[in-house]
Amino acid sequence: MSQLELRDIRKTYAGAHDETLKGINIDISSGEFLTLVGPSGCGKSTLMNSIAGLETITGGSIVVNGKDISAMEPKDRDIAMVFQSYALYPTMSVRENIAFGLKIRGMPKEEIRQEVERVADLLQISPLLDKKPSRLSGGQQQRVAMGRALARRPKIYLFDEPLSNLDAKLRVEMRTEIKKLHQRLKTTIVYVTHDQIEAMTLADRIAVLKGGELQQLGTPKEVYDTPENLFVASFMGSPSMSFIGVTVERSEAGLSVTVEGNDGRELVLPAPEYLESWVGKRVVLGIRPEHISQPDEQKRDNGMVTEGRFTVEVTEPTGPDVLAVIRLNDIDVQCRLDAEHPVEWGEEAELMFDMRKVVFFDPESEKRIRP
Amino acid sequence: MSQLELRDIRKTYAGAHDETLKGINIDISSGEFLTLVGPSGCGKSTLMNSIAGLETITGGSIVVNGKDISAMEPKDRDIAMVFQSYALYPTMSVRENIAFGLKIRGMPKEEIRQEVERVADLLQISPLLDKKPSRLSGGQQQRVAMGRALARRPKIYLFDEPLSNLDAKLRVEMRTEIKKLHQRLKTTIVYVTHDQIEAMTLADRIAVLKGGELQQLGTPKEVYDTPENLFVASFMGSPSMSFIGVTVERSEAGLSVTVEGNDGRELVLPAPEYLESWVGKRVVLGIRPEHISQPDEQKRDNGMVTEGRFTVEVTEPTGPDVLAVIRLNDIDVQCRLDAEHPVEWGEEAELMFDMRKVVFFDPESEKRIRP
Amino acid sequence: MEHIQRRPAEVARASSDLMDGLQRWLPKLVVAPTFILVGIGIYGYMLWTGVLSFTNSSFLPSYDFVGLDQYAKLLESERWLVASWNLAIFGGLFIGICLLFGVVLATFLDQRIRQEGAIRTIYLYPMALSMIVTGTVWRWILNPSLGLEKLMHDWGWTSFSFDWLVESDFAIYTIVMAAVWQASGFVMALFLAGLRGVDSSIIRAARVDGASLPVIYWKILLPSLRPVFFSSVMVLAHIAIKSFDLVMAMTSGGPGYSTDLPAVFMYAHTFTRGQMGLGSASAMLMLGAILALLVPYLYSELREKRHD
Amino acid sequence: GEVEVLHWWAAGGEARAAAALKEMMEEQGHTWKDFAVAGGGGEAAMTVLKTRAVSGNPPAAAQIKGLDIREWAELGFLTNLDSVADAENWDQLIPPMISDVMKYEGEYVAVPVNVHRVNWLWVNPEVMKDAGVEVPTTLDEFFEVADKLKAEGYIPLAHGGQPWQDATVFDAVALAELGPEDYRKAFVEHDMDVINSDKMEEVFAQFAKVMSYVDDDAAGRDWNTATGMVIRGEAAMQIMGDWAKGEFTAAGLTPGEDYLCAPAPGTAGQFTFNVDSFAMFSLTEDEDIKAQKDLARTILEPEFQTLFNQNKGSIPVRTDMDMGEFDICAQASMETFKASADDGGLVPSFSHGLATTSYIQGQIFDVVTNFVNSSNPDPVKTTDQLAAAIQSAM
Amino acid sequence: MTDVVRSGFRPSRIAIYGVLLLACLVYLIPLIVMLITSFKTPMDIRTGNLLSLPADWTVVGWTKAWSEACTGVQCQGVRGFFWNSFKMTVPAVLISTLLGAFNGYVLSKWKFKGSDLMFGMLLFGCFVPFQVVLLPMAATLGKLGLANTTAGLVLVHVIYGVAFTTLFFRNYYVAIPDALVKAARLDGAGFFTIFFRILLPLSTPIFMVSLIWQFTQIWNDFLFGVVFASGDSQPITVALNNLVNTSTGVKEYNVDMAAAMIAALPTLVVYIVAGKYFIRGLTAGSVKG
Ligand SMILES: Nc1ncnc2c1ncn2[C@@H]1O[C@H](COP(=O)(O)OP(=O)(O)OP(=O)(O)O)[C@@H](O)[C@H]1O
Ligand SMILES: Nc1ncnc2c1ncn2[C@@H]1O[C@H](COP(=O)(O)OP(=O)(O)OP(=O)(O)O)[C@@H](O)[C@H]1O
Ligand SMILES: [Mg+2]
Ligand SMILES: [Mg+2]
């Protein structure tokens, strides 16, 4: 239940020639759930370590509830963290691992016991309490690591990819537990993940990092629907958004862009009015798979929806949906089709383009063109 | 382009008291793409190692093109494998890693060079060719490991979770590359993954393992739509299928089952005719998230589709969709809603149940009740 | 009003600063005793020796500086040249052969050998003996009239002759033999440990790639044991430099001074011949040579760590 | 008080003798702290002594000999024994040639224990008889005899290939070839005219010839092993100091009957001496100083001199002793000692550190031992080397 | 990795066993020579050869070496010196190992500016020939009043042993993930708590390596023992040296060999009993660099 401000955090590792964090500014309000995403090596763990006080920052300051804690020892910061690499104490049993932090802080024995059991129940690791970490599977270890953090009631929780090693089913369950936990405790949480769904579903806000720089900070919906730039757009969403170079044209019906299929057939797509100043210029059209689907009655009467026939190059049934690839302007474009109306690869299919949510980018600056 | 038969493969590790593989029978036809899925520790890697000849099997035989190769040395089996742990040669550069197998087989220098470059291009690792593996990120290492296998033209490829460490975007790209590669080369491939989408999209057939036993072998569609048992049903699909205990009833309109919402409101769902013999008995209704959605005009006129109002407990927007949880018969049930018609948690929503694809299980044997 | 409010915070900050300060200094405090001891015990004394090497100290230290005279004398001394050359031969052969034996034995022992534990202990036990004991035993075994040669003659092989110990051109090789006997088992242990530490999936990968067992060891495993090579070389170099005891027990530098090593030379001049200046100069040259060997190692060691 | 005595008499008769000394001291109410460091002819002991001195904690007495005594005294470590010497009248008891060595700037700082004669030839009479030869008195005779012995399948000369043993033989050959006068010039005064002369080349040539009668396995052999070869009749002769007698005695042999002692060939009437001595270090405690002086006195008392020298094979340093209890070799030694002291045939042994500093001694050792062990020894070149070595060490 | 290498009886395996057994023989011969010689009579030694068995087995050599042989004026064998060695070795081993453990901990987990340099300098310390430091060390010990005391000797062994122990521990701890230390710091543990509660319980293998190494090095040391120990506190190596380097009398090789065996016994026992921990400890990380 603490408000956390990161003010221009900079970090250069001793001996490294590049700055790893290049001035990160994030205000996290009390009780907020922030997820941190970004490609491998972008500095997510570094930022987490810096907040916890495990790495000294080389610039900026970390402020909790108005108090600068940048120079404080980690143990005085009252932060709990789940490490990407679990970092379980190998010589201690699961129980001792979870209890260690409580013991050091002088909690009475009986309370510790209760707390450990509560946490173990929550994480479904009660039968493992007396085992050594080395005898646990990766997923079990990860839950113990989480238990160690959850046993405490710190001001702030830091989770560094806490679910990455769980199998799909358990992962969904744990995700739900974390969500419930947050709703109950309302503790401030910073959460690193490389899982799209996790990032989208858990977060109040998402911070997208790249190369030590903050690319975008916003609610999941903002980040997904209105990415600031090409990088964010391509990073969020799986399969990712497809990018097609097009020229903005003006016709009687309004602005439009034209795409050309594999067989040379052209399709004119309606474009939003805010591209007015781009008429005649090249822009990048960003379109997500779910924006290209099989014709749907309900959407058809919208001015921003068009249909066209294209040859499907690849189809991939995923279970609930079928992912298909078509080529537009010589670029592979992903579409998401309904699993109930299967299309074989090589066939032609009637596809509906929903242009209401597509985004456009300036090809030079790679920034999104704002309405 | 080889046909591979696994005949009653058994494997007990020296010193272990349990059998790790308990008689696996799979026929893989020439050019087929088989994916192997199953929870951690179920024996997937063991099976792969056995095929490659790296573990001696304790029972059964491995037959390639009609020839029993069970006793052959790995180097004589003409199989290429990508290891779960990459297993890159730490002292060799990326180039040497990829070239090693070719060199050993006496390919001329110039050809090796070309082949390495071709593979590196394909995997987007050309700039890394002269680096040592220790200087690469996890994802880069994994691609090198793949390159090492792809540089060869073996009878059979074995891939053990080859994409697990790539970020979402690259993963999708690599998946597509593998798919294309397979379409071009038509080499027999056995592929282990824990990624649902990968398993579904790549495979000609999927083999689901659990505890060293084959649970189901079938096309992705078969496995997804008609899982043999509760385990397969729960394992495939993310979020996974929800299982609701219900009693089969007979009414005028035909067979039906009744579910009860959180607030006590009941909804009668139509059930298929093949449950005739189960009337009055308990069965488990397996229903996938995508079978519960917001009302859709197109589907409404089907007899197997019903609607009801339920309170949404949790909502999780994932980008393209919103995952919601409702409670039916005191069980959390996942539904997949359209991102465009958001529902807040705590609200009531009108939901449509598409009973055409739901499955029913015998609660005793946990087997699916077949039509 | 404002400053009154701030006070307690400041006090708290000050006291926590004190604790923090202590925490921050603790690591340095903990290593300090060692570094003081080593600083004096190694570097202080080395400096002192360096100073002495520029004096004409004879019987005990004195401080009449004579510039580089002692070094000049040293380079003219035939005995010093023999000693240095011997160190090169001895060090090179000792380290080389130990590595070879260590690698071969470790490789062989790695092949799922029955009774591996017992064999390992047999290879390792010589390391437990002091060099004095090793020297005494080997001197006895190699002595033509008492040892091996006599044994062979007793067994009827009368033409057998092995008299290296008493041949000034070969005596140094007998020292190599004894030293190898003593240390090669240890190197074997290092390599065996290294081999056991190699990720087994790498070997699997190589087998699938079509490599045969010898190729796997030669091309994959041994190259990846580079750090073990370095550790071994370090330990062996340490032993080589300290093999003073062995030489004294086996040949006392003889026949003549054909098995002299720099350490023996230094010792003789410093302590028995009353030529402390010359002895110090020889010590300095020795240290210089070690430094030349060690610095590249440390450099590569530290550089490698950075890339992990 | 307590006396700590650093010595390298670790075993055998020597140790027994030292034990006797210990007893005598304890009878006088002192404690004896034994500090034995064996090996390498006292090399290890010297190292220990130096470090002990440097640490400011030297023993009361230490076995130091020859010119080293002067060096220690020069550094101010040694104490003045004149009070004991005057009371006991040492100047009268000890020949000046030896007492000089014990003194620094005219004051006694060390006590001599014994006198060894180095230029002895030890002979197994059985072997000689078997080969039909007599004990040689000159080098030429030696070569003749040796040739015959060799022909009979004996090893003519038993020897251990250690630098100091090489030097011991060289010592004897040099004395025989150069005569006492030039020997002194060369090895005590380091007169370059003698060192770098034809005579010296001749010495090396003869030395090489002597060494050619040594067996092939000599390298590294201990001197007493070599003596054992004479005792067992494998070898006929050995050139070694009179400490070799201890080995014969231990084997239960009687001098003059079972084995013979003769002057090394060509050195009859001449005497290369080697004196063991204890240097006395400055101490602080009065009690200990008293004990130290008692020790000095006790060492020179006839009782100890007899006991010790009988065990060690040497002769007493006191010329006034009754030699009746000694064996014939010792008696002969004493006679020659007294006679040569008068006629100038008495020379300090360079090979045992009585003639020159340890540095020059070491340099000579290096040249000599290298000469012995080189595959084609060249007397001319080696003479040059010897000159250069001595020159550089002066 | 042994699991990957398949066993079977091919000719190559016979060759491998052949080489290994031959090597065993070579390694064992000196020990056998020592052992059988120590049970012979001096007569036997002269008439027999290296490997001939004793005509009649006798333990005279052993009893003499243990309690009768002269090592100076005393003729009480090496018995007393045996305990001297223990008195010196045990504290020196423990102290140097503990210091090494702490140093290794700091140099791997609490690096500070210059700590790598310090480590390098420490490593270099392994290579100083000990003869060089005798005199200045003697002077220092004299000034400290530790000359000729067991404490002084222990100090010397600690100084020249700590470089190796530090090297062992540092290389071992480097392989332990930093994240453990980080996690403990977040859990509120301080410098010492982390060491004692987290790292120390993990350190058994490397402690074994360090203890074994130091024990052999210190037990077998002669130079420091002879120089820095006074008369009656000399370690067994010095006694052995005095005993073996007899200057007169017939060499009693059986006594020499028995004394050598006695001197080597503790280290041999340590190697044989703890040898497997040694390999295990090395495997656990100290080799890596
Ligand atoms: N101790 C260190 N010293 C030097 N550079 C480091 C250190 N730790 C990390 N780095 C570098 O800093 C960068 C950021 O690393 P960080 O671990 O924060 O990445 P990340 O975003 O957590 O990646 P991942 O998703 O793979 O966990 C990387 O380039 C990495 O190589
Ligand atoms: N060398 C071995 N010795 C004994 N048991 C082993 C060995 N290797 C694996 N096992 C056991 O065999 C079982 C199957 O292991 P395997 O590696 O095949 O699992 P997996 O299905 O690949 O799991 P994951 O998805 O985690 O990679 C596990 O219970 C494991 O503990
Ligand atoms: Mg990270
Ligand atoms: Mg696996």
Side-chain angles (χ1 to χ4, degrees), chain E residues 14-204:
Chain E
I14 295 169
I16 286 172
Y17 270 101
V19 169
L20 288 176
L21 292 179
L22 187 74
C24 278
L25 206 65
V26 171
Y27 280 101
L28 276 178
I29 279 179
L31 187 68
I32 295 171
V33 168
M34 279 169 77
L35 268 178
I36 58 180
T37 306
S38 71
F39 288 110
K40 286 179 182 175
T41 59
M43 198 54 214
D44 233 354
I45 296 172
R46 204 161 300 130
T47 53
N49 61 36
L50 277 187
L51 291 177
S52 62
L53 289 179
D56 40 12
W57 295 77
T58 164
V59 291
V60 162
W62 287 79
T63 51
K64 211 163 170 191
W66 180 246
S67 56
E68 287 165 34
C70 296
T71 56
V73 232
Q74 292 106 323
C75 289
Q76 293 166 349
V78 297
R79 186 172 43 185
F81 302 97
F82 198 74
W83 301 120
N84 285 348
S85 270
F86 271 109
K87 272 183 245 160
M88 160 197 85
T89 307
V90 170
V93 168
L94 291 182
I95 296 173
S96 59
T97 297
L98 259 167
L99 271 184
F102 271 114
N103 292 338
Y105 171 50
V106 171
L107 293 181
S108 59
K109 297 289 174 239
W110 296 86
K111 286 192 178 189
F112 48 89
K113 217 168 175 227
S115 62
D116 278 342
L117 181 72
M118 276 183 160
F119 179 61
M121 289 177 63
L122 205 55
L123 261 198
F124 185 61
C126 300
F127 296 90
V128 174
F130 289 154
Q131 292 83 10
V132 175
V133 302
L134 291 185
L135 281 183
M137 180 51 89
T140 314
L141 288 181
K143 292 227 172 65
L144 294 175
L146 289 174
N148 306 318
T149 61
T150 305
L153 194 54
V154 167
L155 177 71
V156 173
H157 279 301
V158 167
I159 293 178
Y160 298 105
V162 79
F164 259 101
T165 56
T166 303
L167 174 71
F168 289 144
F169 278 98
R170 185 256 184 196
N171 285 356
Y172 184 77
Y173 287 150
V174 158
I176 292 178
D178 285 347
L180 274 189
V181 175
K182 291 182 176 174
R185 287 177 74 188
L186 271 189
D187 269 346
F191 181 83
F192 286 108
T193 317
I194 296 175
F195 180 71
F196 286 109
R197 301 287 296 275
I198 311 287
L199 287 182
L200 207 57
L202 282 172
S203 311
T204 324

Side-chain angles (χ1 to χ4, degrees), chain B residues 300-356:
Chain B
R300 207 170 254 165
D301 31 355
N302 192 300
M304 293 299 282
V305 174
T306 328
E307 281 168 45
R309 283 191 82 78
F310 293 91
T311 312
V312 175
E313 307 261 320
V314 181
T315 61
E316 305 180 313
T318 66
D321 316 296
V322 173
L323 295 176
V325 175
I326 58 175
R327 280 186 82 81
L328 296 179
N329 291 5
D330 281 334
I331 283 175
D332 280 346
V333 175
Q334 299 262 3
C335 335
R336 189 162 102 160
L337 311 183
D338 192 337
E340 278 178 62
H341 305 288
V343 185
E344 288 302 309
W345 65 276
E347 284 180 9
E348 278 195 358
E350 182 77 21
L351 298 176
M352 186 164 100
F353 288 72
D354 183 345
M355 296 295 282
R356 284 171 300 178

Side-chain angles (χ1 to χ4, degrees), chain A residues 41 43-46 84 160-161 192:
Chain A
K44 303 183 293 291
S45 297
T46 306
Q84 190 169 11
D160 198 349
E161 312 207 3
V192 171

Side-chain angles (χ1 to χ4, degrees), chain D residues 118-167:
Chain D
V118 181
N119 57 332
W120 275 121
L121 180 72
W122 304 94
V123 182
N124 184 326
E126 294 281 310
V127 175
M128 301 301 265
K129 214 160 82 197
D130 189 49
V133 291
E134 294 296 315
V135 176
T137 55
T138 66
L139 279 173
D140 289 337
E141 278 179 42
F142 174 83
F143 298 140
E144 251 172 62
V145 166
D147 281 334
K148 284 196 188 136
L149 285 164
K150 208 171 186 175
E152 289 293 323
Y154 291 106
I155 298 166
L157 189 64
H159 179 72
Q162 293 171 339
W164 71 271
Q165 292 190 58
D166 294 340

